[in-house]
Amino acid sequence: GAVVSQHPSWVICKSGTSVKIECRSLDFQATTMFWYRQFPKQSLMLMATSNEGSKATYEQGVEKDKFLINHASLTLSTLTVTSAHPEDSSFYICSASAGRGMVNEQFFGPGTRLTVL
Amino acid sequence: DAKTTQPTSMDCAEGRAANLPCNHSTISGNEYVYWYRQIHSQGPQYIIHGLKNNETNEMASLIITEDRKSSTLILPHATLRDTAVYYCIVRVSSGTYKYIFGTGTRLKVLA
């Protein structure tokens, strides 16, 4: 159980275009989803936290107008990278948590590799 | 900032126990310690978590010191497939219970 999927698994786009990444919890309802970014040979960096039906909370230094997050249902969150530039090329990973209780671990998706030309 | 510190890398012989230490000296009383691992170009995989007692599951054991300022993840019989980056995380206990990842330990299991 506790499977999280991401789509697409990789995407290549031209500079200036927007890219949408989907994150789905397949077998549980995720009240909270998280979005991370990971550059090569670095650790995961939390970008934002989203709760179903409410606005995402962004970490310091993450532009909310550039990285649009929507968490419209208990099984789906989307991250849209608007007007992507080469420096946005990275590995984007989502995770989902089944509740807000203290014991609920996060389950991670397989990641989406974005390359902006 | 991450609340944990781990050695950058470790090697372990195949079939031996791998002991991965983690320091979390500023942990609060109600904060859990989580361990995940990340195999190259994949999402992190949950391993185990604990609060104050030692924990064991089919993947690993977690030993937490009595003062809770450090812990050790034990893979009892390491295999080549255990080669990965292992992250020790203290989950923030307020608000949305987010994870702040540290640099992790790159474990290499040697044949």
Side-chain angles (χ1 to χ4, degrees):
Chain A
V3 178
V4 176
S5 70
Q6 282 183 242
H7 179 79
S9 55
W10 59 270
V11 56
I12 301 172
C13 70
K14 292 182 179 179
S15 187
T17 61
S18 295
V19 174
K20 180 185 283 189
I21 302 169
E22 293 185 349
C23 176
R24 293 181 185 272
S25 56
L26 298 184
D27 51 3
F28 67 101
Q29 293 188 326
T31 54
T32 307
M33 287 185 168
F34 304 82
W35 286 95
Y36 297 82
R37 181 167 53 178
Q38 185 176 35
F39 292 109
K41 299 194 176 182
Q42 293 187 23
S43 185
L44 283 75
M45 186 192 79
L46 180 65
M47 299 175 68
T49 302
S50 74
N51 292 304
E52 185 264 338
S54 60
K55 288 184 179 179
T57 301
Y58 290 81
E59 293 298 302
Q60 193 172 7
V62 178
E63 300 174 59
K64 62 180 181 181
D65 294 330
K66 180 167 183 64
F67 299 100
L68 302 178
I69 292 171
N70 184 280
H71 190 167
S73 77
L74 286 172
T75 59
L76 173 64
S77 176
T78 60
L79 167 69
T80 302
V81 183
T82 62
S83 187
H85 291 284
E87 58 265 29
D88 298 322
S89 297
S90 188
F91 193 49
Y92 291 87
I93 306 171
C94 73
S95 71
S97 176
R100 303 184 190 189
M102 294 183 65
V103 201
N104 288 298
E105 62 266 38
Q106 294 179 27
F107 297 96
F108 287 81
T112 296
R113 187 159 303 281
L114 170 64
T115 302
V116 184
L117 302 177
Chain B
D1 289 341
K3 299 182 71 171
T4 61
T5 54
Q6 299 175 251
T8 303
S9 64
M10 292 180 65
D11 290 343
C12 176
E14 190 178 18
R16 298 282 194 162
N19 297 290
L20 293 95
C22 178
N23 181 289
H24 33 80
S25 58
T26 61
I27 193 170
S28 298
N30 58 354
E31 290 179 329
Y32 282 74
V33 179
Y34 286 76
W35 283 83
Y36 284 77
R37 71 181 182 185
Q38 186 179 27
I39 296 170
H40 183 61
S41 294
Q42 298 181 24
Q45 175 191 21
Y46 167 79
I47 301 173
I48 200 167
H49 73 275
L51 182 63
K52 55 178 75 173
N53 297 321
N54 297 338
E55 303 288 344
T56 296
N57 62 21
E58 63 278 4
M59 288 184 70
S61 294
L62 175 60
I63 308 297
I64 302 174
T65 57
E66 195 168 336
D67 63 7
R68 305 213 320 124
K69 292 185 177 182
S70 65
S71 61
T72 301
L73 178 75
I74 301 172
L75 307 178
H77 305 287
T79 70
L80 298 178
R81 287 178 295 181
D82 292 322
T83 293
V85 179
Y86 287 76
Y87 293 101
C88 166
I89 301 162
V90 171
R91 189 179 67 173
V92 174
S93 60
S94 61
T96 52
Y97 303 103
K98 61 187 181 183
Y99 292 167
I100 303 298
F101 280 77
T103 55
T105 296
R106 187 171 298 274
L107 174 69
K108 194 173 188 179
V109 180
L110 305 172

